[in-house]
Amino acid sequence: MTVDGANPATEKRESPRRKILPYGDRHGDGMVQVSFTLELPDGPEAEEAGRQVMKLMGLTDPQIVSSEPLGPSFTFFVGYGKLLRPVDLDNLKVAKLPWEKLDPETINKMVRERLGRPIIVVGAATGTDAHTIGLDAILNYKGYAGDHGLEAYSAFRVVNMGSQVENRDLVAKARELRADAVLVSQVVTQRNVHISNLTALVELLEAEGLRDDVVLVCGGPRLSHALAVELGYDAGFGPGTKPSEVASYLVQEVLKRKGV
Amino acid sequence: MTVDGANPATEKRESPRRKILPYGDRHGDGMVQVSFTLELPDGPEAEEAGRQVMKLMGLTDPQIVSSEPLGPSFTFFVGYGKLLRPVDLDNLKVAKLPWEKLDPETINKMVRERLGRPIIVVGAATGTDAHTIGLDAILNYKGYAGDHGLEAYSAFRVVNMGSQVENRDLVAKARELRADAVLVSQVVTQRNVHISNLTALVELLEAEGLRDDVVLVCGGPRLSHALAVELGYDAGFGPGTKPSEVASYLVQEVLKRKGV
Amino acid sequence: MNSPGRLRLNLDPGTVAACHESGQAIAEKVWKELEGLSTVAVERAVARLFGIDGADSAGLPLPNVIVDALSRSGGLEDGVAIHLAKACLETGGEPQDVAEDVACGQLDFASIPDRPRRELEDKARELARRAIDRILDRRKEREELISRLGQSRQPWLYVIVATGNIYEDTIQARMAASQGADIIAVIRSTGQSLMDFVPYGPTTEGYGGTYATQDNFRLMRKALDEESEKLGRYIRLVNYCSGLCMPEIATMGAFERLDVMLNDAMYGILFRDINMERTLIDQRFSRMINGLSGIIINTGEDNYLTTVDAFHHGPQVLASEFINLHFARMAGIPDEQIGLGHAFQIDPWLESSLLYEISMALLVRQCFPNCPVKYMPPTVHKDGNIFFAHALDTMYNLVASLTGQSIHLVGMLTEAVHTPFLQDRFLSIQSAKYVREASRGLSDNFSLVPEELIEKRAQSLLQSAKEVLEHVKDTGLFAAIEEGVFAGVKRDRHGGRGREGVFKKSARYFNPFEEILSSRSKAF
Amino acid sequence: MNSPGRLRLNLDPGTVAACHESGQAIAEKVWKELEGLSTVAVERAVARLFGIDGADSAGLPLPNVIVDALSRSGGLEDGVAIHLAKACLETGGEPQDVAEDVACGQLDFASIPDRPRRELEDKARELARRAIDRILDRRKEREELISRLGQSRQPWLYVIVATGNIYEDTIQARMAASQGADIIAVIRSTGQSLMDFVPYGPTTEGYGGTYATQDNFRLMRKALDEESEKLGRYIRLVNYCSGLCMPEIATMGAFERLDVMLNDAMYGILFRDINMERTLIDQRFSRMINGLSGIIINTGEDNYLTTVDAFHHGPQVLASEFINLHFARMAGIPDEQIGLGHAFQIDPWLESSLLYEISMALLVRQCFPNCPVKYMPPTVHKDGNIFFAHALDTMYNLVASLTGQSIHLVGMLTEAVHTPFLQDRFLSIQSAKYVREASRGLSDNFSLVPEELIEKRAQSLLQSAKEVLEHVKDTGLFAAIEEGVFAGVKRDRHGGRGREGVFKKSARYFNPFEEILSSRSKAF
Ligand code: B12
Ligand code: B12
Ligand SMILES: Cc1ncc(COP(=O)(O)O)c(C=O)c1O
Ligand SMILES: Cc1ncc(COP(=O)(O)O)c(C=O)c1O
């Protein structure tokens, strides 16, 4: 037993704030929970293989705390281990949002005064993706989480093409309406189908010579600004996005491009 | 869309059976689930740090799928990523159980015929550990999961000292009874207290010159044979151990040592 | 059928009867309006029923080849049955031979001489009866397997596999069965519902699901039959009888002994923007086949609850269930095969949300006492916090058991992340099994306190559903959908996909299945 | 108090009354037998109540120094109160001064001249009244905070922190409160219960918990008070009033405004092999203090269910609750502060296990309608499958809400792995909050069907508990424990730890608290 006797202990946080480890029970313990499946029948071999998986993840003190047969030839593991490699916060590249949040009145006023006509926005869920709720949340009047969609702004004229729209139909519509911005939603991500769909759209726009005429934006639960930029988009919006964030971005980007 | 048309596809499992990756949805996808906490307020910086943690675990395509504030200064993450470093099954060192499973009649008969007296076993939950259920499951008549405890065998004379037994009292009892085997249970493992307790017992037995006179066995939910051997024990038993397994081991090991 | 024990809502029987009346009137009116029309999909299904299978050298399935050929030659309006009968009589071959000959250009429908109507109809009837016998054989096979192997007590646990690769799917399906699943659904790849043909052969490259093909059906059926034998209980197989090929898939499912089909009268219209008339005609023929094959259909009202707020839109779900029920009955399906859809989708953070869920779940159960309701798990309010999602599913599991649901679709903790991994399915089945067994008998121990929240809520939902149904009856279903009565989606009667596949039947039109099955269904 | 709504079991009032009678008789008989004894722990508590705190240069706490000194000088049999009063009168100092002087050898009890009995008793009474006022001030402070800040609706969510380090504990406790916890317990390090002194100062090195010290109590109280202000609801603090220092911890808790104390009449005997007489004497004095301070005690019957099979051993749990209740009432604690322990521990894979859990939970609730029952989560049947453990907790959460439990100890998904991580507590609280809010009003909507499993099981448990109680009344509690009636554990009346700390009171023995508090308790 160790009791600190009469000396009140004051524990120091050993590592400086800018390098951090995962926190389980105590500062710096590095504790991480993992789970995974191996194609091996439950037993000592599988368990040792499970421990090896944890070691391959760089975990110190790997503990398999559960192994469950998923049938005759697969085993599921739950494990806890310590990741003692710190994240260096000073060297973190956080994809910064290149716009600031504005309120609806400001947005409407900016567009009225500086552009003199609404920004034309065309949106669609492309390819075979039939998930419209996210796109509707951004575009439709009703909006999302109490925040109205782009339709509710005088600053935007919105055309929502709905779901399962082929890229070529979207591009044709953008051309027809002389759209200022094209908004694409991608929700299904199995086997990275969203990546190929999104890439194909960029290529098509480029081939048609339209890429520079529009602000190109994508969104969906597995998208982030960083990924969007990587794919050749101007911006990307992930889960929980509010329509007003998209509105703020669009107005700033479109006005900047128009030089007004 | 890719349909395989008139050619029925027959997918080959690319890697040979002896090198395996975690299995999520498909053979070889390497999918692993992780969760952990960082001492950072929820937000883009925390999320990026979370992704870095996953990278430090060697995960390809790290996806943070949830980040939840645990209060003002901590964030909890759930992530999925791919571990594409295979486990080489051929090089796996599986701590082999150095005994075979025997049935109770055989055990009783072996001891009766070859030793001529019961094997004397002393057991205890040592240190400040008050968990007796695991120890009782192995020692007491009632046993565990329908398998009777050592008390039920004519082959053993069992002294169960109960919980919170000091190492020195256990050693004294072993000496007094001329025990053939000493069985220790350790359930509380916070901050590795079980390791220090178990190590201290080995040192005490050595100091008292008793170590070689007894078969020394430990057990508990976070113990394994491999760890036990590392700590200087003859054997270790983990979660789900059945008393008959312990009985099988003890009879073979004791008879071997006695050379009978 | 599973039962909600002593949990009985005090519902006004007059209101329930009024809902049935409106539902039936709505379905009948639609059918009157559409009686003179058929679709390319119905005709392709007839071709398949006559045994036509395979694809041409360009990969186009032979049923499409036949229908396209007839369409070009102007004979489609008579229905394919008459023309195939004629060709068979002419060539002495089977429909499959005819189709192959047409495909390679050796046979041209236009050039086959006509025969007396009677002779053609008799030949068509003969071919149809063979198809019906083939289907009834599979049905009997199912009944025998169930009586020999047995099956789980309800609620049956239903899980999906969706790797996109049929071979991986069979592995996962076997594991799921061995973990305790009673029903396995192979989810379809995105986009298939909008394809106007059914792909041929086994497939390995779907997105968010696996293509529905007859070979895929067969491969999975075989895997599950083996597993059923191993486990000593019959494992049911599900696919999606929806989209532009609904009647063909019904046929394929009937031939390959599927047990359950997602099959809704309006889903295609609302969620896939398929033309109204096309969908409503297709659903009728597909349901005639589903009814015959003993397949349980599952309707899709659960989807409304994922699209609009579940707390406020209960009445339209109930209204839609009455309509779907009567469409199905009209197609000859007995209630025991009509698995109406419902779901647990109210915002979990709403105070007393569980009481509202119980209320609606009981209501649906009680309005359709003989229907094997398919109860769907929470999905919309899940996010990447897989632990919370697992807790939410656990409460859903309890409600499924307490309210006596028959088919219990097992929710996945990773719903908001990916189509289920092997381990996700295991964990979800484990917890559903636990709740099912732990709560056995619970509903026999409780009775409802009258006039408390649960009962009052159910009464008001029923009353509102009645009003919705009366409105739809008055305006007609087409106009109601144009108004956006269901799932907040508005569709134009003359818009939507697949409209070009609807055609007016000629005076000579003949479909032997319609004739035989309608008289059969009278006998049910 | 939370209520089980319309869920009322039909129990025979005569059987309940008989259980109470036996419970009371058992407790009274024990007390009669022990009236002439006191313990070193009671005397150290008196010293603490008189304001003695701190440790000597060797780290031995001053209350121990005093008691040891009196023990050596032969004065302990009179109780420390008399001797401290005498020393104060003699030196003109406070008890703390006396203790410090004794510790450094400047004062020797044996050498202080005697005084008239009356004078000594009056001084002791004065010191006791000061202590009582100090405690009542803290009690009033709590009442004011609650009325100003408010508190959550029941069931209150109770979580543990157990890092071993009080500073880390305060961080985790604050986070837990901000996540929605209503009650925070600081779990004690293994081994502390067998230490015959209370460590002094803040500590950072516990195992499986943090040492209970007065400084640790104070640090945590301060953190939670700050958090209460921030959150606008009063957060309760719990520690363990058990083991060899039970009465001292009651004192420390009273001084530091703890709100809840684990405090059982028999736990120490059964689970720590502490001597029977020692435990039963200590529990009485500690409960007098707990009662005074307005602290809710929690008894430990839940522990029986972790040690023996929960399905078969319900009756002994109920019997023990009756005994614990009457021991507490005898010590002057009103029912509103007697949080009897119960737990959800039946094998989850037993068919209808949930019905058995509901039955027992209702039974306990209904037998003790004014007691804030502490309902403990499943632990024994959890293993490292944290997902299944989470599902199990979710069902437990529902039963807690449905059966109207007051104090809801939140189960942890990692129960079988480690003391809770920050994230484990978050996930568990999140799911418990969800169930609590989602099921609001559920028990008002259901009534029990008479004579079904739930009611019949409860009736039979009650009947068996009555039989157990009658047996214990007949043999006496000491003999019953020797027989192994509770938790399958047998203890010898004269065995066990801490026996040497029990002593016979002399004829001069005086304890002003006993006198004042027993007369006070009559007034409750
Ligand atoms: C509702 C739902 C459906 C409904 C869709 C109804 C409709 N009208 O949209 C129905 C039932 C029809 C459906 C069908 C299918 N679904 Co679905 N569905 C969901 C579900 C439950 C919720 C999705 C949702 O609406 N979320 C709410 C919205 C508001 O969130 P969001 O989409 O993330 O949008 C926000 C942001 O991402 C962003 N955003 C999104 N888009 C855009 C676009 C722009 C421009 C911007 C700026 C921002 C933005 O802003 C939004 C607001 O914050 C999810 C599971 C889940 N809980 O997430 C599965 C899910 C998305 N579906 C899935 C699948 C596979 C399907 C099917 C393919 C299954 C099948 N084979 O039948 C089908 C077919 C659909 C098809 N062809 O694509 C999978 C996808 C798996 C994957 N990762 O690849 C999921 C994850 C379920 C699962 N685990 O299997 N689904
Ligand atoms: C029951 C229980 C208790 C009971 C114990 C009753 C008793 N008579 O034993 C009570 C309520 C008293 C208790 C108290 C405490 N407990 Co406790 N308890 C548990 C619980 C729920 C189950 C343990 C158990 O009995 N398992 C069943 C047995 C059969 O399994 P087993 O021990 O693994 O034994 C098997 C094998 O390991 C092996 N084995 C075990 N020992 C031996 C020995 C030999 C020689 C051999 C061959 C094999 C063998 O064979 C057995 C049969 O297969 C666990 C959580 C859990 N679900 O695991 C927590 C747990 C073990 N307890 C814990 C803690 C912290 C405590 C306390 C310290 C809390 C506190 N501060 O108050 C106290 C104090 C106890 C003390 N001084 O040690 C922690 C330990 C955390 C850690 N990893 O360090 C756990 C994990 C809970 C938690 N998450 O916080 N506990
Ligand atoms: C009734 C019904 N049909 C079909 C589907 C699937 O959609 P698709 O037809 O696009 O494969 C669903 C979705 O769950 C459904 O509920
Ligand atoms: C009533 C009671 N007292 C005490 C304890 C804790 O044990 P210890 O006294 O060893 O700290 C428990 C364990 O949960 C308990 O239930």
Side-chain angles (χ1 to χ4, degrees), chain C residues 125-140:
Chain C
R125 279 195 197 95
E126 180 213 317
L127 291 169
R129 266 192 223 98
R130 265 203 261 158
I132 290 171
D133 286 344
R134 181 172 168 195
I135 290 172
L136 291 176
D137 280 352
R138 302 312 309 262
R139 182 178 178 149
K140 214 166 102 209

Side-chain angles (χ1 to χ4, degrees), chain C residues 107-128:
Chain C
L107 188 69
D108 176 9
F109 281 115
S111 59
I112 306 176
D114 209 358
R115 288 178 185 248
R117 179 78 187 162
R118 173 111 230 172
E119 201 184 331
L120 296 179
E121 288 190 1
D122 280 349
K123 178 67 188 173
R125 279 195 197 95
E126 180 213 317
L127 291 169

Side-chain angles (χ1 to χ4, degrees), chain D residues 475-517:
Chain D
T475 55
L477 185 62
F478 294 103
I481 295 175
E482 286 182 329
E483 276 173 16
V485 166
F486 300 106
V489 176
K490 297 181 187 184
R491 300 294 185 203
D492 189 7
R493 174 162 182 173
H494 301 293
R497 291 156 165 129
R499 196 188 159 211
E500 61 290 351
V502 181
F503 63 87
K504 237 172 110 81
K505 299 176 188 170
S506 71
R508 295 185 64 206
Y509 183 88
F510 182 64
N511 181 337
F513 294 99
E514 296 248 0
E515 183 190 88
I516 302 172
L517 295 180

Side-chain angles (χ1 to χ4, degrees), chain A:
Chain A
M1 183 214 91
T2 321
V3 185
D4 294 4
N7 306 330
T10 40
E11 220 207 8
K12 303 218 180 49
R13 311 240 139 208
E14 303 96 32
S15 61
R17 160 76 176 65
R18 306 302 299 168
K19 284 206 173 197
I20 58 167
L21 291 174
Y23 178 110
D25 197 28
R26 291 192 160 212
H27 180 76
D29 61 17
M31 293 296 312
V32 163
Q33 175 267 326
V34 301
S35 79
F36 53 88
T37 298
L38 293 178
E39 194 169 350
L40 287 173
D42 190 25
E45 187 195 26
E47 194 161 328
E48 185 52 34
R51 218 182 327 271
Q52 286 307 318
V53 166
M54 293 182 69
K55 286 207 175 142
L56 289 169
M57 287 193 256
L59 299 177
T60 304
D61 244 342
Q63 300 264 1
I64 296 290
V65 300
S66 176
S67 69
E68 297 255 18
L70 299 191
S73 53
F74 289 88
T75 306
F76 170 60
F77 299 94
V78 179
Y80 282 86
K82 299 178 183 169
L83 183 73
L84 298 177
R85 307 166 176 167
V87 173
D88 185 348
L89 295 179
D90 292 320
N91 289 327
L92 220 54
K93 279 198 215 75
V94 181
K96 263 273 171 294
L97 310 175
W99 61 90
E100 58 170 315
K101 187 79 188 285
L102 305 173
D103 58 81
E105 291 77 57
T106 314
I107 292 174
N108 290 338
K109 191 154 163 272
M110 279 168 75
V111 170
R112 198 168 55 240
E113 291 177 355
R114 288 164 54 188
L115 192 65
R117 62 157 177 88
I119 293 174
I120 300 168
V121 169
V122 184
T126 56
T128 56
D129 203 319
H131 292 88
T132 55
I133 301 177
L135 182 72
D136 290 348
I138 303 299
L139 297 182
N140 293 5
Y141 188 91
K142 190 182 160 203
Y144 184 66
D147 198 77
H148 283 307
L150 267 53
E151 276 185 1
Y153 293 73
S154 66
F156 298 101
R157 191 187 142 213
V158 176
V159 176
N160 181 344
M161 294 178 71
S163 72
Q164 299 192 308
V165 174
E166 292 297 336
N167 281 334
R168 61 170 178 280
D169 298 335
L170 174 59
V171 172
K173 183 64 85 183
R175 182 188 294 284
E176 174 197 329
L177 299 172
R178 296 167 163 275
D180 300 299
V182 170
L183 271 60
V184 187
S185 184
Q186 284 283 296
V187 175
V188 177
T189 61
Q190 203 186 30
R191 307 179 45 247
N192 282 334
V193 63
H194 61 311
I195 307 281
S196 19
N197 276 348
L198 290 171
T199 310
L201 178 61
V202 172
E203 284 166 2
L204 189 63
L205 281 169
E206 276 167 359
E208 302 252 327
L210 268 179
R211 175 66 191 87
D212 296 335
D213 300 347
V214 296
V215 176
L216 187 59
V217 173
C218 60
R222 289 287 91 74
L223 285 166
S224 64
H225 184 57
L227 176 59
V229 169
E230 208 177 289
L231 297 175
Y233 283 66
D234 296 311
F237 292 83
T241 302
K242 293 201 170 173
S244 56
E245 294 164 5
V246 182
S248 300
Y249 164 72
L250 283 177
V251 70
Q252 289 166 69
E253 184 66 21
V254 170
L255 295 185
K256 194 181 82 194
R257 296 225 188 157
K258 303 283 170 199
V260 293

Side-chain angles (χ1 to χ4, degrees), chain C residues 388-440:
Chain C
F388 183 68
H390 202 53
L392 194 57
D393 281 335
T394 306
M395 293 307 300
Y396 154 77
N397 291 339
L398 183 76
V399 175
S401 163
L402 186 67
T403 61
Q405 304 301 327
S406 302
I407 298 180
H408 173 166
L409 200 137
V410 178
M412 292 290 140
L413 67 171
T414 52
E415 169 63 33
V417 186
H418 46 234
T419 49
F421 285 1
L422 195 53
Q423 65 198 44
D424 303 338
R425 224 179 281 110
F426 165 75
L427 293 169
S428 298
I429 291 173
Q430 183 181 46
S431 138
K433 263 200 313 199
Y434 154 59
V435 174
R436 176 176 69 180
E437 301 310 322
S439 65
R440 280 255 178 250

